[in-house]
Amino acid sequence: MRSFPHRVVIVGGGIAGLEALLALRALAGDRVQLTLISSQPDFVYRPMAIAAPFGLGHARHTPLAEATNDMRATLEICALEHVDAEARTILTSTGTVPYDSLILALGARAKPAFAHAPTWDDHRGAESLSGLLRDLEEGYSQSLAIVVPPGPGWPLPAYELALLINGDARSMGLDPRITIVTPEPAPLAIFGPRAIEAISRDLDAAGIAVETGVHAELVPGHRTTVLLRPGDQSLEVDRVLALPRLVGPAIEGIPADPDGFVEVDERCRVRGVPGVWAAGDGIAFAVKFGGLATQQADAAAQDIADLAGATNERRPFRPVLRGHLLTGQVERWMRYSTADREGQTATRALWSPPGKVDGRYLSPWLAARDDTAVAGHGPTSGGLAVQVDLQRSFTASR
């Protein structure tokens, strides 16, 4: 028997969790009773974290209470400890919370890919960059490898880092040798051929080299040797900066793959666990990106709103990538979907409101508070293109 209002608990205060909260109130109205659980009191717009060291923007902090107040939802600041799917309850650090539907939006955990190299991630990135930029500026280092590790992730920050660091150094009359090392078959290969061509031109113009289709092994020393595998080629560089390796949240009571990621179907229902959905970087999907997290959250919200008795169109998750790459030069915006395998690239925004993440409900809500915090400012540029067939990637995760 259906209960009203339908109790929905959302665990996670990041992009997927906040999008799900806003979507459910918009789609289901008073048919749902919403609770948002987060271990932190603020939503942080992490896609802009990379801009801060270069004066191009900041990772704005927005109290989650603003969203829950607007959406007439309950906010609980605590940590998830266990899901009891049979009893339809979760155990948190402060007690037990019942639910009719549960959305898990806990994201992925970042781990260093290499023991002897600093790691860029959107939580502690400034710490990794400060010493590196100082060494380049003072002439102690003349060469840098930026490494994308294999596995699920989002390679775009490697290209932003390369172009922004290069531009910063050249503005001071320096000419560092920067190489991107990546398992992708082409530079930022998830946005289609047009974007591959555009980003390749940007990298060539900046004098940035790219080693594609390889993974790195590091041999530390006075200078670091970067071994390129497969094969026997190598690079000698003064410094290495790596993107992190990502692992899933490994939620107690929820089945996961060997890396801790939650497996879902095309409506983002957790496989084999009735009443539970998952969205965001914590699901078993090869590409980790905030824009995809919002699309996954929307699919889950539409499904739950239907269960709650709301009349709306339920659309399965069909990934569409939208990317805005910061470079400090000409703006470049990219869009890619399986319906348009050429992709799109432009020097103007391809969506509105413009931002690093295009969320149907989240982006307008954030832009109403501070549009510069989501879009950044100053000149930008970029590119991306076909590392993964997105639809095949989703099918493989099923």
Side-chain angles (χ1 to χ4, degrees):
M1 181 176 179
R2 184 183 292 161
S3 62
F4 290 102
H6 191 83
R7 299 169 299 177
V8 183
V9 174
I10 303 164
V11 183
I15 286 174
L18 203 49
E19 174 78 9
L21 178 79
L22 299 169
L24 276 162
R25 185 57 75 205
L27 295 170
D30 291 335
R31 292 179 175 85
V32 290
Q33 174 185 306
L34 299 175
T35 299
L36 179 67
I37 291 176
S38 173
S39 60
Q40 302 296 324
D42 289 349
F43 168 79
V44 183
Y45 196 78
R46 299 196 186 281
M48 286 302 297
I50 203 166
F54 304 96
L56 296 175
H58 63 284
R60 175 183 170 162
H61 289 238
T62 302
L64 289 171
E66 290 187 15
T68 54
N69 288 341
D70 285 355
M71 298 301 110
R72 306 185 308 281
T74 299
L75 174 64
E76 295 192 18
I77 305 300
C78 54
L80 175 66
E81 295 183 351
H82 177 77
V83 176
D84 186 338
E86 185 174 350
R88 297 221 174 186
T89 62
I90 62 171
L91 177 64
T92 74
S93 55
T94 59
T96 299
V97 182
Y99 66 84
D100 297 310
S101 293
L102 172 66
I103 299 179
L104 300 170
L106 289 171
R109 292 180 290 130
K111 292 189 171 185
F114 304 100
H116 302 289
T119 300
W120 164 270
D121 69 55
D122 53 17
H123 288 77
R124 295 171 296 278
E127 301 169 12
S128 303
L129 278 182
S130 58
L132 170 62
L133 292 175
R134 185 171 58 251
D135 279 359
L136 290 171
E137 291 166 3
E138 296 177 358
Y140 295 118
S141 300
Q142 286 85 39
S143 56
L144 167 68
I146 298 176
V147 179
V148 180
W154 180 237
L156 184 144
Y159 295 82
E160 289 185 312
L161 288 164
L163 289 161
L164 290 171
I165 291 170
N166 182 75
D168 186 66
R170 292 194 177 221
S171 70
M172 294 180 286
L174 304 173
D175 187 20
R177 298 191 311 278
I178 299 176
T179 304
I180 299 169
V181 178
T182 176
E184 304 160 275
L188 283 171
I190 40 182
F191 274 85
R194 291 177 182 170
I196 290 179
E197 182 181 354
I199 188 59
S200 296
R201 286 198 307 266
D202 291 340
L203 294 169
D204 287 344
I208 296 170
V210 186
E211 296 286 350
T212 59
V214 294
H215 67 270
E217 295 178 9
L218 305 187
V219 180
H222 177 66
R223 302 184 79 211
T224 299
T225 300
V226 183
L227 305 176
L228 306 180
R229 303 295 191 224
D232 55 6
Q233 290 186 303
S234 64
L235 305 170
E236 296 284 335
V237 295
D238 296 320
R239 298 292 297 268
V240 173
L241 181 63
L243 298 191
R245 184 174 70 88
L246 299 181
V247 297
I251 304 161
E252 186 176 348
I254 298 295
D257 71 10
D259 292 319
F261 293 107
V262 178
E263 296 186 353
V264 300
D265 67 12
E266 64 181 5
R267 298 195 186 278
C268 293
R269 301 165 177 160
V270 174
R271 293 188 178 278
V273 188
V276 182
W277 288 253
D281 290 354
I283 73 170
F285 190 74
V287 183
K288 310 296 183 185
F289 174 53
L292 295 180
T294 66
Q295 296 167 36
Q296 294 154 6
D298 290 344
Q302 290 164 6
D303 209 30
I304 293 170
D306 182 74
L307 287 176
T311 301
N312 69 88
E313 182 179 356
R314 292 191 301 158
R315 297 188 183 96
F317 170 52
R318 293 287 182 264
V320 177
L321 280 175
R322 298 175 178 91
H324 178 200
L325 188 67
L326 299 172
T327 72
Q329 298 298 323
V330 179
E331 287 194 352
R332 196 176 302 282
W333 304 72
M334 291 79 52
R335 184 183 186 279
Y336 178 80
S337 72
T338 54
D340 177 13
R341 292 183 180 274
E342 290 296 306
Q344 295 175 272
T345 181
T347 56
R348 56 175 176 79
L350 294 174
W351 56 88
S352 181
K356 294 282 279 179
V357 171
D358 180 31
R360 181 178 302 173
Y361 302 95
L362 179 60
S363 294
W365 186 84
L366 288 172
R369 283 150 179 77
D370 183 358
D371 58 355
T372 63
V374 300
H377 60 80
T380 56
S381 170
L384 288 173
V386 177
Q387 168 197 9
V388 180
D389 177 321
L390 291 177
Q391 189 56 49
R392 188 173 67 228
S393 176
F394 176 73
T395 302
S397 74
R398 295 171 61 178

